[in-house]
Amino acid sequence: MNRKPSSQQPLAVRISSGPERLAGLGPLLAEARSAVGDVPALLELAKSAAETAPNPGEGRTAFLWEMMASVTAVDIAAGRVIEPHLDAAAILAQSAALAAGSQAARHAALPDRHGPDAGAWGVFAAEAAGLRLEAKATDGSFLLHGAKPWCSLAAQLDHAVVTAHLDDGGRAAFAVDLHAQGVSFEDPRWSSLGLREIPSGTVHFDAVPAVPLGDAGWYYRRPGFAWGGMGVAACWLGGAVAVARGFKEALVAASDGGRKPDQIALAHLGEIDRTLTALTAYLARTAEAIDAGELSGSGAWSEALRVRGQVATAVEHIQALVSQNLGPAPLAFDPVYGKRMADLSLYIRQHHTMRDDAQLGARTLKGDHPW
């Protein structure tokens, strides 16, 4: 079972687009396949994706999610790389729109992804006990002091959107050049078997200039914060589709070899089909609501919690069903399957399970629900 990746053209993950639009993802998916395990190539992939990716809320949110899910279905790590780069591009566009105050100026103010300032971006918004990043106002500008945890691939990126604490106790987002003097990278000592090529360590900032993106709290108040969180869920969905496709291929191969799937395997495949069909329909409706302006208020984050919770639960259930059916052999002898399962298991831990449900429950208690 030590098989090589399939030579067939990678398949896109459909949420709502037609076959012609999905076919246009072919070159990107082929690039993702050739970049597996190669971090510089994965970063180039992220920049390639950004050249054609729409921003959420601009009328093609479902296609954005299809792009992210499809790349992740090729390789979980590839999706993990392109997602923050595309999120950073959206954040910069939203900040430019806020500053410009008009749709026309918004597009004129988008960052030049092809010019001398083009590069790979990350988004670093995590917090950890004992680590704190502060933004100090100095002569009309801001300097970053302190440390930021969970900064994936930071030493290989060019720029990042980071969140930092302000003197008044609030937090704000900033754009920062990761090549600037005063930026240093702590060895993350990454020992994980999942996402091995994407270590997440701590970045230290010593009086590093930073450009504010919105005012205090804007990063969290903007509807794009919720939309970005749903984009991560689209990547998780892509990972689940990859696991499901691998399961189906294994059953077909076994059947071709004379071992027909039993009723349990067929029932589990049917359940996986129902689950994925429901999830894609849910994401399609949600993307349509975003583009229609129906998820731009306080309810956007509640919907993000629902989407993320539904997808994360389904992903773990699909992994469990497939693992129970296929047994230990592919985990022991199939490097493609083993990498996929390990990568996805770590990626999905960005969901906070019951803590996120508790947050949703608190919002539901206040009446923020559709039922």
Side-chain angles (χ1 to χ4, degrees), residues 150 190 192 194-195 341-350:
W150 292 102
W190 194 249
S192 172
L195 299 174
M341 295 294 267
D343 287 351
L344 187 55
S345 293
L346 181 58
Y347 196 2
I348 204 70
R349 288 280 60 80
Q350 286 189 6

Side-chain angles (χ1 to χ4, degrees), residues 245-261 269:
R245 287 173 176 170
F247 180 42
K248 177 191 170 185
E249 291 170 3
L251 294 182
V252 169
S255 181
D256 291 344
R259 191 173 74 253
K260 301 292 184 182
L269 184 61

Side-chain angles (χ1 to χ4, degrees), residues 310-342:
Q310 288 292 98
V311 175
T313 300
V315 168
E316 293 191 307
H317 186 54
I318 289 171
Q319 283 189 287
L321 291 178
V322 172
S323 181
Q324 290 166 13
N325 272 277
L326 297 185
L331 287 172
F333 301 113
D334 185 339
V336 175
Y337 175 90
K339 181 181 189 302
R340 180 184 297 143
M341 295 294 267

Side-chain angles (χ1 to χ4, degrees), residues 185-204:
F185 309 97
E186 187 176 321
D187 181 1
R189 301 176 185 176
W190 194 249
S191 62
S192 172
L193 296 179
L195 299 174
R196 296 183 69 172
E197 60 269 70
I198 309 179
S200 296
T202 299
V203 179
H204 297 269

Side-chain angles (χ1 to χ4, degrees), residues 108-321:
L110 284 173
D112 183 358
R113 294 169 181 163
H114 306 285
D117 293 330
W121 283 75
V123 178
F124 305 149
E127 302 284 339
L131 297 175
R132 184 179 175 90
L133 183 63
E134 297 182 340
K136 301 291 186 181
T138 306
D139 297 328
S141 61
F142 284 89
L143 298 177
L144 299 181
H145 301 263
K148 198 69 174 170
W150 292 102
C151 299
S152 299
L153 289 180
Q156 300 185 62
L157 299 177
D158 300 297
H159 315 276
V161 174
V162 302
T163 56
H165 294 265
L166 304 173
D167 288 338
D168 63 4
R171 279 188 291 174
F174 298 85
V176 61
D177 180 355
L178 294 175
H179 300 297
Q181 184 176 356
V183 179
S184 60
F185 309 97
E186 187 176 321
D187 181 1
R189 301 176 185 176
W190 194 249
S191 62
S192 172
L193 296 179
L195 299 174
R196 296 183 69 172
E197 60 269 70
I198 309 179
S200 296
T202 299
V203 179
H204 297 269
F205 298 86
D206 184 8
V208 177
V211 179
L213 302 174
D215 58 10
W218 170 81
Y219 175 83
Y220 302 98
R221 290 195 312 270
R222 64 192 171 91
F225 179 69
W227 303 344
M230 291 185 240
V232 175
C235 290
W236 297 341
L237 170 66
V241 168
V243 172
R245 287 173 176 170
F247 180 42
K248 177 191 170 185
E249 291 170 3
L251 294 182
V252 169
S255 181
D256 291 344
R259 191 173 74 253
K260 301 292 184 182
D262 61 18
Q263 289 294 300
I264 293 176
L266 290 174
H268 284 167
L269 184 61
E271 181 179 357
I272 289 169
D273 173 75
R274 285 192 293 103
T275 301
L276 291 176
T277 300
L279 284 180
T280 53
Y282 183 17
L283 285 177
R285 292 194 304 272
T286 305
E288 185 177 358
I290 289 172
D291 291 334
E294 298 169 5
L295 284 177
S296 58
S298 60
W301 184 240
S302 291
E303 193 62 24
L305 289 169
R306 295 184 193 107
V307 167
R308 288 167 63 89
Q310 288 292 98
V311 175
T313 300
V315 168
E316 293 191 307
H317 186 54
I318 289 171
Q319 283 189 287
L321 291 178

